[in-house]
Each structure stands twice: as C-alpha cells, then as structure tokens.
Amino acid sequence: ILAQAILGTPPPSLTLAQATSAIQQQKQQPPLPLTLTMASNAVLLKKKEWTACLAQSKGAPGRCEKLQKDLESMSKASGIECCVAETVALMRCTGSSSKASGCGSEFLAMRECNRTGGRELVKNSEGTASAVAPGKSGLFTSDAWSLVSSVPPTRSLQGMTEFGEDYAKTLHITEVRF
C-alpha cells in the first residue's frame, strides 16, 4: 500500500482498521506523501464524527445523513472502506421488527467488513448464502464450503432449546433445566 502511494498509483480499497494500522505504523516507514496522510486522517476524523452522531441518534441513522454522505464520498475518493452501508443496515435491522430474526446476515456483513485483512466471506451470486471471498480460500480447509453455504437456523424457542440440550451433551451435562 505504501509503495503504491509513493509510486502514485491509487490505493486499493482499505478497511478502516487497515487505514488506522497504516497510520500507526508511519513511524517505522518512510514518510507517506502528505496528500495520502491527510486523506486518511480526514476520513478517520469524519468516521469518528459520524459514529458520534449515530451514538446520539437513538437508532435513527437518517439523522446523520449529511455526515454519512460526506463520509461515503471521502471514503470512495481515498479508497478506504468505512463500512457505512453495513453499519446502516445493521442499525435499521436492530431498530425494527426484523430484529426478531436475529439480524444474522447484517451482523455477518458488519463483521466481514471490519476485518483487518479484508473480507473473508462474501454473499454468493444469488445473495442467499455466503461464499469464500476471492483470494481467501487459503485461509479455509477444504470442507469449509459446507459452513459458508449453510443458512442460519430459524430463531425459535424450540431451536434454542434443542441447541442447548445438544451442547450440554457435548459438555457431559446430563440434566438441563430451562
């Protein structure tokens, strides 16, 4: 990334964690061009401002729409991924009646977006399940496809009870009271 910045080629899309890590490592690296450092710092400051606004918005991300649009444009221009869409989707899910389903896909999207090394799982072409991200297959075993191609179970009392009983058996607990 630093070499690309020095050579003048556009940086790849970075996660916020990667950008923060790059800024923290500046002391050990040759100085970055001033424009890249300023752009990264500006995006980080805008992200902090947007996050503070979201914290005060009482679960209504629409109250921070101007900051969101500013952050999205700055993020796109600098190549730093700030997980804006994932954050908004998760807030909308947890703030609506959809939270009864557990908001699993939104939590997964948020987790994957915030990975320091980039996304390891992405939505498949149909958008119904997850798939291993391009270039990340070396991180998984050959049978990992069965884990990412599955869909989370329906959230119900019976499903949670069955899981609890099965889990207790693996821990050699004989009596389970719910």
Side-chain angles (χ1 to χ4, degrees):
I1 296 169
L2 294 174
Q4 290 175 331
I6 293 168
L7 296 174
T9 58
S13 181
L14 301 174
T15 64
L16 190 58
Q18 288 171 321
T20 304
S21 176
I23 289 171
Q24 290 172 347
Q25 293 176 2
Q26 275 180 301
K27 295 176 184 172
Q28 294 123 7
Q29 303 291 333
L32 290 171
L34 189 57
T35 55
L36 181 61
T37 304
M38 289 173 50
S40 298
N41 285 337
V43 171
L44 293 174
L45 288 173
K46 187 58 75 174
K47 170 77 174 181
K48 188 174 184 178
E49 186 180 355
W50 181 62
T51 302
C53 179
L54 290 176
Q56 296 174 353
S57 73
K58 298 181 181 177
R63 293 181 180 177
C64 306
E65 193 171 346
K66 183 184 181 324
L67 288 171
Q68 177 182 331
K69 289 183 181 190
D70 291 346
L71 178 60
E72 286 171 331
S73 64
M74 291 173 75
S75 173
K76 187 175 182 179
S78 65
I80 298 173
E81 172 64 65
C82 290
C83 306
V84 174
E86 291 82 357
T87 301
V88 171
L90 182 56
M91 286 186 74
R92 287 200 173 124
C93 182
T94 57
S96 70
S97 61
S98 299
K99 70 181 173 189
S101 70
C103 302
S105 61
E106 290 82 359
F107 276 104
L108 180 66
M110 189 71 179
R111 182 194 72 196
E112 290 303 315
C113 184
N114 280 297
R115 286 189 186 272
T116 303
R119 298 171 198 259
E120 294 175 4
L121 301 175
V122 294
K123 286 282 187 187
N124 66 3
S125 57
E126 295 86 35
T128 56
S130 298
V132 176
K136 301 289 183 168
S137 59
L139 300 172
F140 298 92
T141 61
S142 60
D143 61 347
W145 67 270
S146 64
L147 298 174
V148 297
S149 63
S150 66
V151 188
T154 305
R155 205 170 149 188
S156 67
L157 178 59
Q158 180 183 358
M160 289 186 280
T161 304
E162 288 172 0
F163 172 80
E165 289 170 351
D166 291 342
Y167 187 60
K169 286 177 188 174
T170 65
L171 299 174
H172 306 291
I173 298 172
T174 55
E175 185 180 346
V176 179
R177 289 178 270 167
F178 293 106

